[in-house]
Structures are given as structure tokens and as C-alpha cells.
Amino acid sequence: MRRLTDRDIKSITGSTIKGYHVEAARIKDGPFTDSDHYGFILGRNAHGHYVTWQFHLLDDGSISVYWGHYHMEDRDAAVRDFNARG
């Protein structure tokens, strides 16, 4: 796991992860020395369901998502959650 960069965020945004189109991604804010090794994703699937995930990059560059909050069709709730997380 490595520190996330703005370039990573740009690369992730617009991609598809686990069937969800990534509408936004950001690096986690936090007081810990490794906080910038984690980030958050806002995604939407083909059914219009939204998710926010925490993620990090694995050593091979692949994205590991976990700790998902699922918001069904409520985009406003998903955006609020995305902005409020960590």
C-alpha cells in the first residue's frame, strides 16, 4: 500500500469498479501519517444505485475497495456521505 497522489485520483475517476462507474474519488483527510494512503470513492451502477467506498491501492496498482455505504437511488445522500467520510 502506498501514498495516493492526485494522478491516482484522476486515473480512478471515470473507471468502473465492481460494476460501479466512479463519479468521484478523493484522498482521505486525517491526522495520521498514513491517512493519505487511503481514499474514498463515489460510484453509481447501471441500476442507478450509489455507493461510497473506502479504498487503497495494492502493490500491483489494483484498487481494493471496502467499508461500503450503499444508498440505492439517493444520490444526494451518497454525495453527503462521500463528502463527510474521513
Side-chain angles (χ1 to χ4, degrees), residues 26-39:
R26 67 177 178 84
I27 298 169
K28 179 179 180 178
D29 297 325
F32 303 107
T33 57
D34 69 344
S35 290
D36 60 359
H37 288 65
Y38 301 91

Side-chain angles (χ1 to χ4, degrees), residues 1-4 34 36-38 55-60 66:
M1 184 170 34
R2 65 173 173 77
R3 181 177 176 264
L4 294 169
D34 69 344
D36 60 359
H37 288 65
Y38 301 91
F55 79 96
H56 64 268
L57 295 179
L58 299 175
D59 291 337
D60 66 1
Y66 52 94

Side-chain angles (χ1 to χ4, degrees), residues 18 20 39-43 50-55 64-71 81 85:
K18 298 187 181 266
Y20 285 80
F40 295 101
I41 288 173
L42 169 66
Y50 289 89
V51 65
T52 60
W53 281 309
Q54 186 162 342
F55 79 96
S64 175
V65 295
Y66 52 94
W67 192 24
H69 297 172
Y70 295 86
H71 301 277
D81 187 58
R85 291 184 78 167

